[in-house]
Amino acid sequence: MQKQVLAIHDISCVGRCSLTVALPVISAAGIMTSVLPTAVLSTHTGGFTGYTYRDLTADMLPIADHWQTLADNLPPFNAIYTGYLGSYEQLDIVAELAKRFKTDDTLLIVDPVMADNGKLYAGFSEDFPQAMAKLCQQADVITPNITEALFMLEKPYNPGPYTEDYIKQLSKELAEMCKSDKSDKNDKSDKKTTKVVLTGVYFDENGDYGASAYNSADGKGAFMLGERVPGYYHGTGDLFASVLTAALVQGCQLGESAKIATEFTLESIQRTYNAQTDIKYGVNFEDGLKNLAAIIKANKPA
Ligand code: PXL
């Protein structure tokens, strides 16, 4: 049966991030992609001024209520994949949606989009990372960049370069943070495990750049790095997490999925660097899409 993903992000109309990345990428991987938009912005908030912002919080539960009336003929979600959530209320709504739509076969993938380069994105308050950390406790997979990871762990920003031990320790602490709230007596998830995929990993100022993947179920970690391209490219975290989601849902292992996502993202950055386009409009991932399904298929366990 064809797989289905529910992607919960904003629509930034121009600028290649969130749903304008998640929808084409996951669809190109052969997955039915349904969306729940959290807001509509004229552009994303990084590097633009004067953008519009239409909050869709009030529409989210009524949309889900309607889906519930479809009950048995709505195909199941193999993953619920969340990104940019603009308010505390939206975090609660996503937690509620996970309760309603998550089955034993549904992966909850939370990309805690809220910060980069040591700073929260425009519009996020200082307490937001703690609320996002709470949502991560429900997740099967989390994909923070290092800034988001450190904010959620209430640690000071570290611009890097990092060491393998530092990244592994950070991943372990995030997995520990993701264990559910022990004060909840009904919570039986004492043995809950989380896959922690960190982005923005590098060990050498002039060296490679990429991600790490750690699975608290077996304590194993891996690094996937490729050639670094100079500059800060917008929306690459969303691209990485979207490719990762597609590969995981199509049955690739965690390490393989993170490797596919790293390579796809770095190639898109390289293409954009070569074209010398304005980096606030995101990266050219479109030219890679025609190969994505085949790459995923070639990396699936037999
Ligand atoms: O790429 C992350 C992202 C998503 N959505 C909106 C954003 C950002 C980052 O700035 O502003 C609206």
Side-chain angles (χ1 to χ4, degrees):
M1 189 173 158
Q2 189 184 17
K3 302 280 170 65
Q4 181 178 199
V5 168
L6 172 61
I8 309 178
H9 305 241
D10 70 283
I11 298 177
S12 288
C13 299
V14 161
R16 286 193 189 112
C17 69
S18 41
L19 277 183
T20 63
V21 171
L23 183 51
V25 165
I26 301 170
S27 296
I31 298 166
M32 171 178 172
T33 311
S34 298
V35 299
L36 182 52
T38 58
V40 179
L41 294 84
S42 51
T43 64
H44 60 70
T45 66
F48 294 99
T49 53
Y51 47 82
T52 68
Y53 187 111
R54 168 84 56 195
D55 179 61
L56 296 179
T57 305
D59 292 280
M60 292 173 72
L61 283 177
I63 289 171
D65 291 342
H66 177 232
W67 291 344
Q68 281 190 297
T69 69
L70 310 177
D72 47 351
N73 49 23
L74 174 68
F77 298 128
N78 299 94
I80 299 173
Y81 160 42
T82 74
Y84 184 96
L85 301 168
S87 66
Y88 294 95
E89 203 183 340
Q90 289 191 350
L91 295 172
D92 292 341
I93 290 173
V94 167
E96 165 66 20
L97 293 178
K99 281 199 195 108
R100 290 196 200 180
F101 293 103
K102 192 172 176 339
T103 70
D104 288 347
D105 300 322
T106 310
L107 280 179
L108 178 60
I109 301 172
V110 174
D111 185 9
V113 175
M114 58 192 166
D116 207 357
N117 290 321
K119 289 200 197 83
L120 288 164
Y121 294 140
F124 287 101
S125 68
E126 271 174 35
D127 298 332
F128 195 81
Q130 287 318 301
M132 183 59 95
K134 208 152 182 293
L135 178 63
C136 288
Q137 292 179 341
Q138 293 197 24
D140 300 293
V141 184
I142 63 169
T143 62
N145 60 36
I146 306 252
T147 298
E148 290 157 347
L150 292 171
F151 268 123
M152 289 195 290
L153 293 170
E154 296 181 278
K155 288 177 183 272
Y157 179 54
N158 177 353
Y162 312 103
T163 61
E164 289 199 7
D165 281 349
Y166 178 86
I167 296 296
K168 196 152 186 201
Q169 182 59 26
L170 207 55
S171 305
K172 277 188 189 160
E173 288 180 34
L174 287 163
E176 199 55 38
M177 176 198 90
C178 288
K179 284 195 175 166
S180 292
D181 184 2
K182 297 295 176 295
S183 61
D184 178 355
K185 301 260 183 330
N186 296 321
D187 189 347
K188 301 191 186 67
S189 54
D190 200 37
K191 295 199 183 68
K192 181 178 180 295
T193 61
T194 310
K195 293 170 176 144
V196 175
V197 180
L198 278 172
T199 59
V201 172
Y202 71 107
F203 302 126
D204 177 347
E205 201 63 69
N206 302 308
D208 289 350
Y209 193 78
S212 67
Y214 170 79
N215 187 349
S216 70
D218 57 13
K220 288 199 177 131
F223 302 97
M224 39 290 299
L225 306 180
E227 200 179 327
R228 185 175 195 155
V229 177
Y232 175 79
Y233 291 83
H234 197 89
T236 50
D238 299 347
L239 178 60
F240 176 91
S242 298
V243 177
L244 182 87
T245 296
L248 286 172
V249 166
Q250 290 293 34
C252 297
Q253 304 288 333
L254 179 69
E256 289 304 323
S257 301
K259 188 161 175 284
I260 294 168
T262 303
E263 286 172 2
F264 193 89
T265 305
L266 289 176
E267 279 167 24
S268 302
I269 293 172
Q270 184 69 56
R271 222 178 268 126
T272 310
Y273 176 78
N274 293 347
Q276 289 294 305
T277 46
D278 184 342
I279 55 182
K280 66 178 183 290
Y281 292 100
V283 293
N284 176 355
F285 66 89
E286 294 88 350
D287 283 341
L289 286 183
K290 56 187 172 301
N291 301 322
L292 184 60
I295 294 168
I296 290 174
K297 195 162 174 219
N299 284 280
K300 258 195 326 209

